[in-house]
């Protein structure tokens, strides 16, 4: 079946612009995670949804980062007033439950110029 | 706090030789450990996990990992490496105090030469 998909795959933004990154999880997966992967590093947790509820946003680096999953399926990660340090690959993962195996999407590579 | 460490930035191995990628962990309580592989411009792919049970865990693509509680290690192994195994490998631990978020190591680049 279809895996986790993310769009766009690549995004270039000028500093100060707002961006929106989309994640389509595997159908029926209750849990959805967002991670940020800086160049040469391992992914870092950003936020977690169980259905439409955002249960953990402890990893969001600033109040410029906002995520939502209004209908418990597609999720959007929004970054306002982008800064150069926001340049990274943003990974989305879904699982059937919080303790299930996480399946990752291909990521969105964000470059802020 | 829970964490994993991957002491090697890169591992070089000739095709057909055994491959080992090292990982050590630090957790409170029982560890839930994972290995993922990342190919260029692709997301992470799950290889295997240790939750409980046998210390030798078998996974995808001929990989296995050995859990060693006394050494707090979870090394990834493959008896005979392929050129196509060249990729970035991540060890991760699941944070049992949260909703299942993973904490990843920095990654180890594996280069398999023909």
């Amino acid at each position: 079946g279809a895996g986790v998909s993310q769009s766009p795959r690549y995004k270039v933004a000028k500093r100060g612009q707002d961006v929106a990154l989309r994640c389509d999880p595997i159908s029926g997966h209750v849990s959805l995670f967002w991670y940020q992967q800086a160049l040469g590093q391992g992914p870092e947790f950003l936020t977690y949804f169980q259905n439409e509820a955002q249960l953990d946003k402890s990893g969001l680096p600033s109040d410029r980062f906002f995520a939502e999953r209004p209908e418990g399926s597609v999720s959007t990660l929004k970054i306002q007033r982008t800064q150069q340090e926001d340049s990274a690959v943003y990974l989305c993962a879904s699982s059937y439950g919080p303790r299930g195996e996480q399946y990752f999407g291909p990521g969105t590579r964000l470059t802020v110029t | 706090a829970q964490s994993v460490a991957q002491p090697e930035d890169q591992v070089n191995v000739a095709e057909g030789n055994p491959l080992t990628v090292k990982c050590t962990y630090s957790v409170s309580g029982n560890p839930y450990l994972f290995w993922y592989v990342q190919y260029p411009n692709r997301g992470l792919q799950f290889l295997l996990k240790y939750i409980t049970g046998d210390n030798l865990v078998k996974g995808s693509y001929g990989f296995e990992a050995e859990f060693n509680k006394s050494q707090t290690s979870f090394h990834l192994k493959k008896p005979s490496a392929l050129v196509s195994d060249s990729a970035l490998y991540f060890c991760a631990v699941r944070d049992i105090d949260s909703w299942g978020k993973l904490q990843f190591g920095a990654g180890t680049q594996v280069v398999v030469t023909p």
Side-chain angles (χ1 to χ4, degrees), chain A residues 62-82:
Chain A
S62 77
D63 58 8
R64 297 185 295 103
F65 286 71
F66 171 78
E68 61 183 4
R69 193 186 185 197
E71 298 179 358
S73 178
V74 171
S75 177
T76 303
L77 176 66
K78 298 179 180 178
I79 308 174
Q80 297 176 325
R81 305 181 302 282
T82 52

Side-chain angles (χ1 to χ4, degrees), chain A residues 32-33 37 45 49 51-52 56 59 62 64 70 73 76 82 91 95-96 101 112:
Chain A
L32 187 145
F33 301 81
Q37 185 177 18
F45 170 80
F49 289 86
N51 296 308
E52 69 279 3
D56 187 347
S62 77
R64 297 185 295 103
S73 178
T76 303
T82 52
L91 296 167
S95 65
Y96 70 84
E101 291 155 20
V112 181

